[in-house]
Amino acid sequence: NNNNNNNNNNTINNNKRPTILRIGRPAYQIYKSRDPDTDQRCLSFELSYPEIDTRRHQPRYRFMSAFEQRVDTPADRRYQYLLVAADPYETVAFKIPNEPIDKGEGRFVTHWDVEEKKFILTLYYLDAKQEEQQQQQQEEKDKQ
């Protein structure tokens, strides 16, 4: 009976994701700008991953609410976090305003440059007028 328990434990351990040795944070630069035509605020994040194995890994991102994270307490709803992860590097988080992001054509763009091993994420915030238009469009879609 003990052998069965040991086998089950080994099976469970084998299904765990292998531990990856982290080699530190990627170098990064953040650019703030405004669109000259719409005056929308823009943030562009450029992260360098010189040691990444591009055959096996590429950067991934996700947004995290202030209430999900455990670093800045108490949570401040005025902010959200942009997380970028790529093995074997540590995950980095950027604290950004928790305002509506423009998901329109060319307004939220990610690019992974395999040659340069750079990940670029560019986002634009909606201004109040655009946010209102987008909400109206969504309400019209919901009615259909």
Side-chain angles (χ1 to χ4, degrees), residues 128-142:
K129 190 175 174 182
Q130 291 168 315
E131 182 182 356
E132 191 177 305
Q133 288 173 343
Q134 220 176 49
Q135 285 176 345
Q136 287 174 350
Q137 289 172 350
Q138 187 62 44
E139 287 171 9
E140 289 172 18
K141 280 184 184 178
D142 292 343

Side-chain angles (χ1 to χ4, degrees), residues 40-143:
Q40 285 177 279
R41 289 176 301 143
C42 173
L43 290 176
S44 191
F45 302 86
E46 185 177 299
L47 296 92
S48 298
Y49 295 96
E51 304 297 322
I52 196 168
D53 179 354
T54 57
R55 296 177 312 249
R56 295 175 17 150
H57 302 289
Q58 77 175 43
R60 306 252 185 246
Y61 73 89
R62 89 172 188 91
F63 290 94
M64 178 183 281
S65 81
F67 300 99
E68 286 180 85
Q69 59 84 32
R70 301 278 179 252
V71 177
D72 287 343
T73 54
D76 186 343
R77 70 180 49 205
R78 295 175 302 167
Y79 297 96
Q80 63 184 328
Y81 297 82
L82 170 63
L83 278 65
V84 183
D87 291 336
Y89 289 87
E90 291 178 27
T91 300
V92 291
F94 301 99
K95 186 175 181 178
I96 62 173
N98 186 16
E99 297 173 17
I101 294 171
D102 189 345
K103 300 282 175 66
E105 185 72 30
R107 304 319 257 169
F108 184 90
V109 180
T110 61
H111 175 69
W112 171 231
D113 186 330
V114 177
E115 302 293 316
E116 295 286 322
K117 297 184 179 183
K118 285 190 178 186
F119 179 70
I120 301 167
L121 185 147
T122 301
L123 61 87
Y124 288 83
Y125 286 101
L126 289 172
D127 63 26
K129 190 175 174 182
Q130 291 168 315
E131 182 182 356
E132 191 177 305
Q133 288 173 343
Q134 220 176 49
Q135 285 176 345
Q136 287 174 350
Q137 289 172 350
Q138 187 62 44
E139 287 171 9
E140 289 172 18
K141 280 184 184 178
D142 292 343
K143 289 178 185 176

